[in-house]
Amino acid sequence: MSIHRLLPALLAASIVHPALADPIGGISTPMLSRCAGKAGLETRQSDAAFGLLALDGVPWLSIERTDEAVGIQPIMTTVTGTGSRHRRNGTSVPFRFTCVLDVNGQALMFYASHLMPNLGDALPPATVVSGTATLAEKTPLPRGVELQIQLFDVARSAEGELLAEQVVRSGWQVPIPFALRLPGTFSSEGRKLILTARLLMSRQVQYRLPSPRVLTDRELLAPVVLVLEKPEAKGP
């Protein structure tokens, strides 16, 4: 049974305001983060030139229940979508991926199939909102950090409509590039667009945008620079 149609409802129920989202609910499904973690670990082990790996969420993600197995491990969920690998020499390779998770929601396997443009194999046409996320303070990134970027339309409600998202596993360097892909037919007319971003490690927010970044039509056409800050410590 496909459950990707339930994602908007689940998101609306779990997020009161994009900037105040819970660390687990900061993306439409934690499965995307777990798949990114599995893919990032395998990529670092196999490619010393690994720079970063990015997986696209809404609207390119599909999630389905299944009753199959990997060896003796039963599979509960299959996640499919698109993403890209970036090497430190500046080259990047887009791919389609399949990720399988067990009954506990842990990623068992990640498989990426590189596109072959010469054979007409390409991602669907898209409008891309791109940019970089950097830190307000100069500090090296620890291993295992994950950047979560989301684009919302808040023209009609404070909760907003999630338009696009991406998780990025970095090769421990800043700034961290991102590219949010929207359908090619996307129009900003009548919309109020905001970006939210945060950097997590072990599901804990280490840095975030102090407040959502409002995007103008002009900024949709040029790279956006996001400066993340440490969240304020909560009082006793």
Side-chain angles (χ1 to χ4, degrees):
M1 177 182 66
S2 173
I3 64 170
H4 68 277
R5 295 180 181 177
L6 298 178
L7 290 180
L10 292 173
L11 182 69
S14 62
I15 297 180
V16 176
H17 188 282
L20 302 177
D22 179 81
I24 301 301
I27 48 178
S28 60
T29 169
M31 296 179 194
L32 182 61
S33 177
R34 291 166 187 170
C35 290
K38 179 70 170 177
L41 176 62
E42 293 179 353
T43 301
R44 285 194 298 272
Q45 292 174 341
S46 63
D47 187 355
F50 165 70
L52 64 85
L53 178 141
L55 299 185
D56 303 321
V58 171
W60 311 102
L61 197 69
S62 294
I63 302 175
E64 295 184 350
R65 297 288 184 179
T66 182
D67 296 322
E68 299 178 4
V70 174
I72 62 173
Q73 289 278 2
I75 299 173
M76 187 68 174
T77 310
T78 300
V79 179
T80 57
T82 59
S84 59
R85 284 192 177 100
H86 301 251
R87 307 189 81 198
R88 292 177 182 175
N89 63 6
T91 60
S92 63
V93 180
F95 58 77
R96 295 185 180 89
F97 73 86
T98 298
C99 177
V100 296
L101 300 95
D102 64 16
V103 293
N104 297 316
Q106 300 303 311
L108 297 175
M109 182 182 71
F110 183 92
Y111 174 75
S113 174
H114 291 170
L115 303 182
M116 295 181 286
N118 293 339
L119 300 179
D121 184 22
L123 296 179
T127 297
V128 180
V129 177
S130 63
T132 57
T134 189
L135 305 182
E137 58 184 49
K138 292 184 178 180
T139 182
L141 292 179
R143 295 192 178 194
V145 295
E146 177 178 286
L147 176 67
Q148 297 180 352
I149 299 280
Q150 291 185 304
L151 177 67
F152 288 89
D153 175 13
V154 293
R156 295 175 177 81
S157 68
E159 293 83 3
E161 175 191 0
L162 177 59
L163 301 178
E165 63 183 345
Q166 188 175 66
V167 298
V168 182
R169 288 279 172 149
S170 173
W172 321 305
Q173 294 182 355
V174 288
I176 304 173
F178 63 86
L180 296 170
R181 299 177 63 250
L182 295 155
T185 56
F186 173 79
S187 172
S188 61
E189 184 177 355
R191 298 182 184 271
K192 182 180 180 181
L193 303 178
I194 64 169
L195 278 173
T196 66
R198 56 199 198 157
L199 198 66
L200 294 89
M201 185 174 68
S202 301
R203 303 186 185 182
Q204 299 298 315
V205 177
Q206 305 297 314
Y207 296 88
R208 71 189 316 160
L209 276 179
S211 60
R213 169 70 176 273
V214 178
L215 290 183
T216 64
D217 288 344
R218 178 178 297 180
E219 287 178 310
L220 290 175
L221 304 176
V224 180
V225 177
L226 305 178
V227 180
L228 310 187
E229 301 178 4
K230 276 189 172 294
E232 294 183 3
K234 296 181 180 180

